[in-house]
Amino acid sequence: MIGKHIKGKSFRGLLNYLFGKDGARQIGGNMEGTNPRELTAEFGISRRLNPKVSRAVYHASLSLAYKESLDDDTWDEIAQKYLQAMGFDMNQYVVVRHTDRTHEHIHIAASRIQLDGTTVSDSWDDRRSEAVIRKLEQEYNLQSVQPSWEKDKHSPTTGERRHIARTGEESVRVRLQRSLDQATHDHPTMPELIEREQQQGINVRVGYTRTGIVKGISYQLDGVAFSGTHLGKAYTFPGLQKHRGVNYSPKRDDKRIQKLMEQAVENLTPAVPSKQDDKRIQKLMEQTVENTTPVTQTNSLPTREPTNWEQIRLNLSQQYNLPNSLLTELYEKGWLYASQTGQAIFVERTLDDLPTLAKQLEPTGNFTAIPLNSEPTKKGSFWIATDATVERAVLLSDPIEVLSVIALESTVDKEKRKPTLYWSVGDSQQIPLELLRAIDTVVIAFKDHEKVENLIAEILVELPQAKQVSPGEAGWNGMLTNNRLQPNQRRIPELQGWEL
């Protein structure tokens, strides 16, 4: 059985809808009225008992699975038990049956104001409703259906399903969802949840606004981070409270949350290695140091020189036709800056925003990689995401190509754009496979070069859902330059396979 419920302000509006359906009939309740006008007048009695309650209308619908059926008396009995379990034991209500769909269902219109003037609490009513429905299913031998909060869990994507079938390994996203489900089974406080996840090797980050209000939550496992929204509505900060029963009080919890976030997962007791981990460790141990190619590291990224920035900005704008507003925003974020030698430095970062490498733009248009020795083992890239939760990823050759595609796509109607991750790729180790497997739309958009043919083949093996498009040898920057030379051309030419 499926249950839905909402709160509203207008009894007459709801009743007009319930009785206005073809075949609708009143099958139960505790009221005398038999039509919307009479029932609205009766509901006015309870409304006058507590006029301060603006959303006094409670509307619930209960639906059976396809081909299941109940008689009117049984439906009325179920409606009574549902309302009582939800706290409506001294409330006016009416039950209306509809026959406009293939599955049987009823609607309940009730007043949230009890006949003693108090109001029925709506605290955690989604979770309570699901629990009541599960009990009713057992009592009346009805087919059980997936709880609504489970539907708010994002299912595995095409890439994830293929990866699981090929390797037998679950994606990081699925592992995070399972861990959070287990950690919230007994309705912990928010700090307790974060601490439990840390003990499982999962970093939890809670974002706050400047005024101290929570703005979001994200989770990181094995170097891969997902926002709560990307896991599903039940795993966002408000969703944990609404759907998973996590208890949160700002005054009580915020200081504890911030203290927990200062603790790194690496400092916690490591989990017991799996058999697969043992094999990887054994393989690594068999590799001799002599066969390992040494990597030269520098002490830091090239020194910034703010006085050179305006000239760098001007050069990038004139030579590569990149928008000044975009360049300025990158500079303010620290992802692009000017060096002491007057060259543009693009900063590569991991998905959790740790700098790993500098890409220095040479006068020839090529890039020189300058490693950062504080993070020698973490692979990052120059990347930009248009939203915390991405629905689409575009893999590109270098930072200039990234900015060029962003500039080209900025001409598309904003409402038609998907939240996108633009990621520059130099080799296969830079690709965030776990994240990309969770995204159905992945576009490989390297400019033509024989050196990338093998790289494209590697990506397509790991990401079967990916699609390849090509801007030609000139690349997307060449297309951007061409567009700027033709003022009347507002958007990129249509390319086969290109998805906006």
Side-chain angles (χ1 to χ4, degrees):
M1 187 162 60
I2 299 173
K4 299 179 181 179
H5 61 162
I6 59 174
K7 293 175 283 291
K9 297 181 179 181
S10 173
F11 284 109
R12 184 61 181 265
L14 172 60
L15 293 166
N16 282 341
Y17 164 76
L18 296 184
F19 282 84
K21 290 284 187 178
D22 289 340
R25 64 180 184 273
Q26 185 175 341
I27 64 170
N30 58 6
M31 305 177 72
E32 295 292 331
T34 58
N35 59 56
R37 181 181 59 79
E38 293 173 352
L39 290 167
T40 299
E42 275 189 77
F43 275 123
I45 296 172
S46 60
R47 187 189 282 276
R48 286 190 292 272
L49 294 174
N50 194 342
K52 293 182 179 179
V53 179
S54 62
R55 290 157 59 86
V57 182
Y58 182 79
H59 173 205
S61 64
L62 301 175
S63 306
L64 297 181
Y66 181 61
K67 291 187 177 180
E68 283 190 324
S69 180
L70 295 172
D71 58 45
D72 288 351
D73 289 340
T74 305
W75 263 126
D76 184 32
E77 188 176 279
I78 287 176
Q80 291 181 48
K81 290 182 177 180
Y82 176 82
L83 285 173
Q84 288 172 0
M86 292 297 290
F88 291 77
D89 32 29
M90 288 194 300
N91 302 71
Q92 296 173 304
Y93 76 96
V94 62
V95 183
V96 179
R97 184 167 182 168
H98 279 179
T99 58
D100 60 322
R101 296 183 183 178
T102 55
H103 56 276
E104 287 192 11
H105 64 286
I106 62 169
H107 292 264
I108 304 170
S111 172
R112 292 183 61 227
I113 302 170
Q114 301 192 92
L115 296 179
D116 63 358
T118 60
T119 306
V120 176
S121 172
D122 60 356
S123 177
W124 310 113
D125 54 0
D126 285 335
R127 291 288 292 184
R128 289 191 292 116
S129 175
E130 293 295 349
V132 172
I133 288 172
R134 300 287 85 78
K135 290 181 179 179
L136 289 171
E137 287 170 345
Q138 293 177 1
E139 183 178 351
Y140 290 88
N141 196 28
L142 298 172
Q143 182 177 331
S144 182
V145 294
Q146 187 182 27
S148 62
W149 62 264
E150 284 283 1
K151 291 184 178 181
D152 288 330
K153 175 192 293 186
H154 288 187
S155 301
T157 63
T158 303
E160 286 177 315
R161 287 193 295 268
R162 288 174 176 170
H163 174 72
I164 293 171
R166 188 172 67 253
T167 67
E169 296 179 357
E170 290 182 325
S171 67
V172 168
R173 184 168 68 160
V174 172
R175 288 159 60 195
L176 285 170
Q177 289 171 334
R178 178 178 291 107
S179 178
L180 288 164
D181 289 345
Q182 293 171 348
T184 56
H185 75 282
D186 59 349
H187 312 315
T189 65
M190 194 65 72
E192 287 174 339
L193 170 61
I194 293 172
E195 195 165 17
R196 290 176 183 180
E197 292 304 284
Q198 287 180 337
Q199 290 170 356
Q200 297 300 315
I202 297 170
N203 266 322
V204 181
R205 307 296 301 176
V206 178
Y208 290 86
T209 65
R210 293 179 182 178
T211 58
I213 305 299
V214 173
K215 63 179 180 179
I217 191 169
S218 64
Y219 314 90
Q220 184 187 44
L221 175 62
D222 293 345
V224 181
F226 285 97
S227 68
T229 306
H230 210 147
L231 296 183
K233 290 181 181 179
Y235 306 99
T236 63
F237 199 85
L240 287 170
Q241 300 168 69
K242 182 177 181 180
H243 301 294
R244 304 299 295 153
V246 177
N247 191 285
Y248 169 67
S249 170
K251 291 182 179 179
R252 181 194 66 199
D253 296 336
D254 282 345
K255 287 184 179 180
R256 178 63 179 153
I257 290 172
Q258 290 166 7
K259 187 174 181 180
L260 285 168
M261 287 195 297
E262 293 171 0
Q263 300 175 5
V265 164
E266 287 77 8
N267 294 330
L268 300 174
T269 303
V272 178
S274 64
K275 291 182 179 179
Q276 187 174 14
D277 292 331
D278 289 339
K279 290 180 181 179
R280 290 174 179 171
I281 293 171
Q282 183 64 34
K283 188 175 181 180
L284 288 170
M285 290 171 64
E286 292 170 358
Q287 297 176 355
T288 61
V289 175
E290 288 78 9
N291 293 332
T292 303
T293 304
V295 179
T296 303
Q297 301 289 347
T298 60
N299 290 326
S300 63
L301 296 175
T303 303
R304 301 169 185 264
E305 181 48 67
T307 58
N308 289 337
W309 167 245
E310 279 305 314
Q311 185 59 51
I312 291 294
R313 183 194 58 75
L314 184 62
N315 291 344
L316 291 172
S317 177
Q318 292 182 344
Q319 184 174 350
Y320 296 99
N321 291 286
L322 298 173
N324 284 319
S325 58
L326 178 58
L327 297 172
T328 300
E329 186 172 356
L330 295 179
Y331 176 72
E332 291 174 349
K333 290 180 179 295
W335 301 344
L336 168 63
Y337 65 91
S339 69
Q340 288 182 323
T341 57
Q343 289 171 289
I345 304 296
F346 294 82
V347 179
E348 293 197 345
R349 317 170 335 269
T350 60
L351 281 168
D352 50 348
D353 219 26
L354 293 175
T356 58
L357 192 76
K359 280 289 187 70
Q360 181 172 284
L361 180 61
E362 306 295 347
T364 58
N366 296 322
F367 286 89
T368 299
I370 305 174
L372 175 65
N373 71 342
S374 63
E375 294 289 343
T377 61
K378 291 192 175 182
K379 290 291 182 178
S381 177
F382 179 80
W383 60 272
I384 297 174
T386 60
D387 194 270
T389 303
V390 298
E391 300 175 7
R392 168 178 177 261
V394 181
L395 307 183
L396 297 145
S397 308
D398 56 56
I400 294 295
E401 290 288 277
V402 168
L403 301 186
S404 298
V405 170
I406 292 174
L408 286 164
E409 294 195 339
S410 67
T411 63
V412 179
D413 184 356
K414 189 174 182 178
E415 293 183 357
K416 296 180 180 179
R417 295 183 224 160
K418 289 184 177 180
T420 300
L421 170 70
Y422 302 90
W423 185 276
S424 65
V425 181
D427 60 69
S428 59
Q429 294 183 28
Q430 283 186 300
I431 304 171
L433 289 175
E434 288 287 357
L435 174 63
L436 298 182
R437 289 188 185 114
I439 301 174
D440 280 329
T441 305
V442 178
V443 182
I444 305 172
F446 300 144
K447 56 186 177 183
D448 285 351
H449 199 291
E450 60 182 14
K451 290 183 179 180
V452 301
E453 291 179 0
N454 291 336
L455 176 57
I456 292 173
E458 288 181 52
I459 296 173
L460 289 173
V461 169
E462 295 291 344
L463 302 170
Q465 80 275 30
K467 297 181 180 180
Q468 180 185 355
V469 298
S470 173
E473 292 184 6
W476 300 106
N477 188 251
M479 188 175 293
L480 175 64
T481 301
N482 183 55
N483 275 15
R484 291 295 171 86
L485 294 175
Q486 302 178 43
N488 294 329
Q489 189 170 349
R490 294 186 177 180
R491 55 185 299 169
I492 61 174
E494 294 295 331
L495 295 176
Q496 187 174 2
W498 182 253
E499 297 183 50
L500 293 178

